[in-house]
Amino acid sequence: MIISRTNARLGISACILTLLGATSLLAQEAPATTGEGAANAPVAAVATSTQAPVAVKPVPATPGLWKIADDDTTIYLFGTIHILPEATDWYSGPVAKAFNSSRLLVTEAIIDSPAELQKAFLTKAVRTDGKTLREALPEQERSAYEKAMTDLGVPVSAFDRFEPWYAALLLSSLPMQKAGYKAENGVESQIEALAKEHGLARQALETPEYQIDLFDSLPDDAQENYLGEVLEQLPTMRDDLARLIAAWKAGRAEELAEILNAGETDKRVRQVLLTNRNAAWAKWLKARLDEPGTVFVAVGAGHLAGEDSVQEQLAAQGVQSTRLQ
C-alpha cells in the first residue's frame, strides 16, 4: 500500500504502495459528501454508470520480472500496479510460469477487510490538535486546496478533520476513480484470487497498520509538502499515470523509475517510504534464501526500478538478481 513530496508521483501513482489501492477501496465504499455528514465522509463518492459492463479483451502486458536463487530456493520478484483503468493480461509467458511453479505468494500487505482498514486509517488520520486541515494550511496552499476540492466537486470542508497525508491520499484517488481506475483491475486483486485458486500459502512483508504509521509519522512539514505536491500534480495526473502504466506494461523499468523520481524534493520522505522499506525487504529476501522452496513476491513496480531499488539493495548484500522479462 501501497507517496510524498519525494515526488507527488510516489503518492499519486498506482504502483508505489498497496495503501493507494486500498484507498481506492475506501473511496468506492464511502458515503456521500453532500448534505448532512459530509464533513465526516472519508472521501467523496464518485458517480458510476448503471449500464451493464461490456466484455472486452484484456490488454496484453509484459511487466518486469526478476529472479534470485541458490541451490534449493528460487524467489521471483514481480512489479505490480495496484489499480488500473482496464483489465490487463499480465498473467502469461514467464510470469505465469513463475507463478505456477511457486508455493508461496508474498505481497506488501494482506488486506482482509476494507472496513477494518478504514477504521485503522481513521484512527491515525483524524487531527488531534483542535484545528481543521484548512486552518493549519498556509494561506496560499489553503486557496489551492479549496480550488482543487471545488474543481473535483467535493465540499471544501469534507476533509477538514484529517491530517494532510490522508487528505493527499484521498485527493489522489478521486481523479483516478473518475478516470475509471479500479482496484479490481489491479494486479493485487487478481493475483490474490489466483493464489486462492492455486492453493498458495500467503505471507506479507508488512502490515497495513505499519504502512499507515509510515505516513502518520512523517513530520508536519513533510505532510504539507506532500499535499502541496499532490495539488500541483492534479491537473496532469491522468497523463502522468497513463505514461507510467504504459512503461509498466512494456516492462520499461528505467523509464518507470524516471517518471516516479522526476522532480524529487524531499529526501526524508523518500528515505522513510521507499529506501528504508526496500532495504528491509532485501534483507528479508536474502534470509528467505536460507529456506528451500519457490516463492513469488509481488510488490509495487516502483520498488523494483531505479536508484535504491530492491535489486540494488540485494546487490549491496551480495545477492544478484536476473531479469526474466
Side-chain angles (χ1 to χ4, degrees):
M1 274 170 177
I2 75 333
I3 302 179
S4 75
R5 184 137 184 135
T6 298
N7 183 317
R9 292 174 179 85
L10 289 183
I12 66 169
S13 76
C15 79
I16 284 296
L17 291 181
T18 308
L19 277 178
L20 192 52
T23 302
S24 74
L25 293 177
L26 298 185
Q28 291 168 20
E29 297 189 357
T33 53
T34 57
E36 186 177 357
N40 293 325
V43 67
V46 176
T48 56
S49 171
T50 58
Q51 295 179 353
V54 178
V56 295
K57 186 176 181 180
V59 177
T62 55
L65 176 72
W66 292 260
K67 178 180 79 170
I68 63 173
D70 60 16
D71 292 341
D72 59 0
T73 308
T74 298
I75 302 176
Y76 296 102
L77 303 176
F78 180 55
T80 71
I81 294 285
H82 301 312
I83 57 177
L84 287 166
E86 59 193 357
T88 304
D89 182 17
W90 54 267
Y91 183 62
S92 60
V95 173
K97 183 178 179 180
F99 185 85
N100 292 341
S101 69
S102 299
R103 295 295 176 265
L104 172 66
L105 171 64
V106 178
T107 54
E108 292 184 36
I110 296 174
I111 301 168
D112 294 319
S113 169
E116 288 301 313
L117 178 63
Q118 179 170 337
K119 188 182 299 183
F121 264 114
L122 296 181
T123 298
K124 296 289 186 178
V126 174
R127 302 182 67 90
T128 58
D129 61 358
K131 295 182 180 179
T132 67
L133 172 62
R134 286 180 297 147
E135 287 173 345
L137 291 176
E139 182 178 351
Q140 185 174 353
E141 189 164 315
R142 181 169 64 249
S143 297
Y145 172 79
E146 291 178 342
K147 182 181 185 304
M149 296 284 278
T150 301
D151 290 346
L152 289 167
V154 183
V156 295
S157 62
F159 307 150
D160 269 359
R161 67 188 183 122
F162 299 130
E163 295 186 7
W165 66 264
Y166 191 56
L169 278 178
L170 297 177
L171 276 171
S172 297
S173 74
L174 291 176
M176 285 188 280
Q177 283 182 270
K178 289 186 175 182
Y181 284 77
K182 298 178 180 179
E184 57 262 37
N185 288 337
V187 175
E188 272 74 14
S189 294
Q190 298 174 39
I191 210 167
E192 287 168 5
L194 284 168
K196 186 176 294 186
E197 179 184 329
H198 289 238
L200 266 64
R202 293 291 315 278
Q203 193 168 339
L205 295 166
E206 300 168 343
T207 66
E209 291 77 14
Y210 171 78
Q211 294 184 338
I212 292 170
D213 281 341
L214 290 177
F215 283 95
D216 192 53
S217 65
L218 292 173
D220 290 345
D221 64 325
Q223 291 190 35
E224 289 182 7
N225 285 346
Y226 170 36
L227 176 58
E229 188 123 349
V230 167
L231 292 171
E232 292 174 12
Q233 191 74 22
L234 285 174
T236 62
M237 184 184 292
R238 290 182 65 166
D239 290 342
D240 291 337
L241 285 172
R243 287 177 55 225
L244 187 146
I245 290 170
W248 172 79
K249 288 179 180 177
R252 298 193 295 266
E254 293 311 310
E255 180 182 343
L256 188 147
E258 183 179 348
I259 294 170
L260 289 170
N261 295 324
E264 179 181 311
T265 59
D266 196 327
K267 295 186 181 298
R268 297 170 304 169
V269 180
R270 178 182 177 87
Q271 189 72 31
V272 170
L273 298 175
L274 188 68
T275 305
N276 290 353
R277 298 172 69 225
N278 288 355
W281 297 355
K283 184 177 180 180
W284 183 92
L285 289 164
K286 183 180 181 182
R288 185 59 181 77
L289 287 172
D290 293 335
E291 300 180 44
T294 304
V295 181
F296 194 93
V297 178
V299 297
H303 293 283
L304 304 180
E307 184 181 358
D308 296 329
S309 67
V310 171
Q311 297 95 315
E312 279 200 359
Q313 303 279 5
L314 283 167
Q317 299 182 53
V319 178
Q320 298 303 312
S321 58
T322 301
R323 184 158 187 179
L324 304 179
Q325 173 173 287

